[in-house]
Amino acid sequence: EKEVSITKFPADERKIIAKAHDKYKKARAGIINTRHGQIHTPAFMPVGTKGTVKAMLPESVQTTGADIILGNTYHLMLQPGAKRVFKLGGLHKFMNWSKPLLTDSGGFQVMSLSKLRKITEEGVIFNSHIDGSKFMLSPESSTEIQYLLGSTITMAFDECTPYPSTYEQAKSSMELTSRWAKRSRKAFYSRDGYGQFGIIQGSIYNDLRLKSALDLIELDFEGYAIGGLAVGEGQELMFKVLDYAPDLLPINKPRYLMGVGKPADIIGAVQRGIDMFDCVIPTRSGRNGQAFTKYGVVNIRNSKYKEDNTPLEEDCLCPACKNYTKAYLHYLVKVKEILGAMLMTWHNLMYFQKLMLRIREYIAQGKDFDFIS
Ligand SMILES: CNc1nc2c(CCc3ccc(C(F)(F)F)cc3)c3[nH]c(N)nc(=O)c3cc2[nH]1
Ligand SMILES: [Zn+2]
């Protein structure tokens, strides 16, 4: 048995016996202890962009088994504003979620959402996509905003290197991220049970990934994220990076693969040593009528379901499967009824959490989990 302890928050030390089976000796199961509760890993973190997991009550998110959700620095700093959320008691109180919260540092969202923006050594200057007013996000301001939001896990301010990038582009982008990581770490207010994760970059170049990891390990973060992936490179190239990148990071600290992914991506990444995941797929595709089931993805809008009196999955315990039929879900989604978005989202979040639970069990029993998906 390989003893792997995945904690990092000084609040508590917990030794996890994670049996690593032969084929994927890198897979590990563990528990992260935080001020707001435990996170069982491998973990899937639902995306809660604007202080809500869309179409879900927080207590409903909890019943799906989620230990932690994501919040968004970029959106919340524009509206209602980080200082206001702080004055109102922080994001946990504001959105009535008492478990762990991880907030992204905002740079990724600026690059994908705001129209006008300028990257300088200082940080990113941009115009709000809401009213065009001018904002600046820097390592210092991003870290302060995440503190004001009260996030359990704060992400360092990085630049997500676009794909494809030349070696030179990826090198200078990674070096900027390293300088910003140092400033983010200095600006972080360290408290028991709270943590800050560094984000490594370097695109698909292994020497840049190594340099990025070395720079960030020096800053002794509570955990590390692998950034710059799930940006269009495709699963094959992503796995090629994941064949070595997780091993560059400290074995006893959580590893978070940002923006991933579909069930098959998650399984492949867990097999390569990743502990934490986030993805909009279960929520966004649920609202668009896509349901993840053990039979594959069901596009509920397809007319073949309009008189299908069976549930999405007969043994699923979510409200959509317990109390409704595919015909009803087909109808709700077709006529754009809000309940349709709610039930589809609930089912998909349940599906992803069940997948993670089964992966954790298989790892703990030292069983191979290649075929689950
Ligand atoms: C989808 N692919 C992808 N997503 C990526 C993300 C965003 C992750 C995220 C975090 C919070 C939210 C919130 F809506 F819940 F807030 C939504 C999404 C990245 N984020 C940073 N900082 N560096 C990266 O290098 C990076 C790479 C990423 N690839
Ligand atoms: Zn269900």
Side-chain angles (χ1 to χ4, degrees):
E1 285 169 352
K2 199 174 72 179
E3 181 124 348
V4 172
S5 77
I6 303 179
T7 39
K8 192 19 207 159
F9 299 118
D12 184 1
E13 214 24 63
R14 181 179 289 266
K15 292 265 167 283
I16 311 293
I17 312 287
K19 288 195 196 73
H21 39 95
D22 43 355
K23 187 177 178 190
Y24 301 112
K25 59 184 179 307
K26 298 179 185 176
R28 72 259 190 94
I31 292 177
I32 302 173
N33 295 291
T34 78
R35 161 84 179 64
H36 298 114
Q38 300 187 323
I39 303 162
H40 296 84
T41 65
F44 179 81
M45 308 182 282
V47 164
T49 309
K50 299 177 188 168
T52 152
V53 176
K54 293 186 191 316
M56 294 288 286
L57 286 166
E59 48 268 45
S60 311
V61 175
Q62 228 166 295
T63 66
T64 65
D67 289 333
I68 174 171
I69 61 175
L70 267 54
N72 199 320
T73 298
Y74 171 75
H75 288 93
L76 294 167
M77 71 183 272
L78 298 182
Q79 227 178 7
K83 282 204 172 37
R84 174 163 304 158
V85 173
F86 181 73
K87 258 184 0 201
L88 297 170
L91 189 53
H92 280 95
K93 183 162 177 350
F94 195 46
M95 69 181 290
N96 186 33
W97 173 261
S98 61
K99 292 181 159 207
L101 264 173
L102 183 149
T103 47
D104 198 4
S105 38
F108 181 85
Q109 287 77 28
V110 169
M111 300 318 280
S112 42
L113 290 168
S114 82
K115 286 172 286 296
L116 294 170
R117 71 263 170 149
K118 190 164 169 292
I119 300 181
T120 66
E121 182 64 32
E122 175 62 18
V124 183
I125 300 154
F126 62 96
N127 291 21
S128 155
H129 69 284
I130 299 169
D131 61 9
S133 55
K134 212 171 161 67
F135 283 85
M136 139 82 88
L137 255 185
S138 67
E140 293 77 15
S141 65
S142 168
T143 304
E144 201 219 351
I145 288 166
Q146 295 178 73
Y147 167 77
L148 291 171
L149 295 174
S151 100
T152 317
I153 298 176
T154 296
M155 299 307 289
F157 189 68
D158 67 326
E159 178 182 57
C160 175
T161 307
Y163 176 81
S165 285
T166 64
Y167 182 86
E168 285 65 36
Q169 286 165 336
K171 185 166 186 291
S172 63
S173 172
M174 178 274 290
E175 288 163 349
L176 177 63
T177 285
S178 290
R179 295 193 297 274
W180 281 356
K182 199 177 174 85
R183 286 168 49 192
S184 302
R185 193 57 171 160
K186 199 157 147 282
F188 182 64
Y189 170 44
S190 180
R191 288 172 287 174
D192 257 5
Y194 291 83
Q196 183 181 39
F197 283 16
I199 306 174
I200 66 161
Q201 295 292 338
S203 187
I204 57 169
Y205 307 105
N206 54 4
D207 57 327
L208 300 183
R209 285 283 177 185
L210 172 61
K211 181 69 172 70
S212 186
L214 294 174
D215 290 349
L216 268 55
I217 289 168
E218 247 177 69
L219 300 169
D220 191 25
F221 284 103
E222 281 68 51
Y224 294 86
I226 296 179
L229 290 177
V231 286
E233 77 283 358
Q235 189 190 71
E236 195 181 340
L237 259 179
M238 180 176 79
F239 281 170
K240 244 179 101 178
V241 173
L242 294 177
D243 281 341
Y244 65 86
D247 300 324
L248 306 176
L249 301 170
I251 191 159
N252 67 323
K253 297 188 180 181
R255 297 158 181 170
Y256 164 24
L257 176 56
M258 304 191 87
V260 175
K262 293 188 297 298
D265 299 333
I266 290 174
I267 288 175
V270 169
Q271 291 164 347
R272 292 166 173 82
I274 299 294
D275 305 304
M276 299 161 77
F277 299 89
D278 88 81
C279 187
V280 293
I281 289 182
T283 40
R284 186 178 294 169
S285 67
R287 295 195 303 277
N288 294 335
Q290 281 197 332
F292 283 81
T293 77
K294 60 186 163 190
Y295 311 109
V297 175
V298 165
N299 280 301
I300 201 66
R301 301 173 60 89
N302 190 310
S303 58
K304 69 182 174 186
Y305 298 116
K306 64 181 186 292
E307 294 191 353
D308 184 329
N309 240 351
T310 64
L312 285 171
E313 284 183 316
E314 64 292 338
D315 52 351
C316 177
L317 298 175
C318 87
C321 296
K322 269 191 324 203
N323 311 320
Y324 305 99
T325 65
K326 288 204 265 300
Y328 184 58
L329 293 170
H330 169 83
Y331 164 71
L332 289 180
V333 172
K334 288 279 275 197
V335 295
K336 295 188 177 23
E337 268 301 326
I338 292 171
L339 183 60
M342 292 166 65
L343 293 171
M344 292 293 284
T345 300
W346 200 325
H347 171 78
N348 282 350
L349 287 178
M350 197 85 156
Y351 181 88
F352 270 66
Q353 292 303 334
K354 275 191 306 196
L355 171 67
M356 303 318 290
L357 180 70
R358 286 158 74 213
I359 289 176
R360 293 195 292 266
E361 284 167 353
Y362 277 74
I363 294 173
Q365 292 154 18
K367 280 161 73 179
D368 190 349
F369 55 95
D370 219 357
F371 46 88
I372 334 177
S373 87

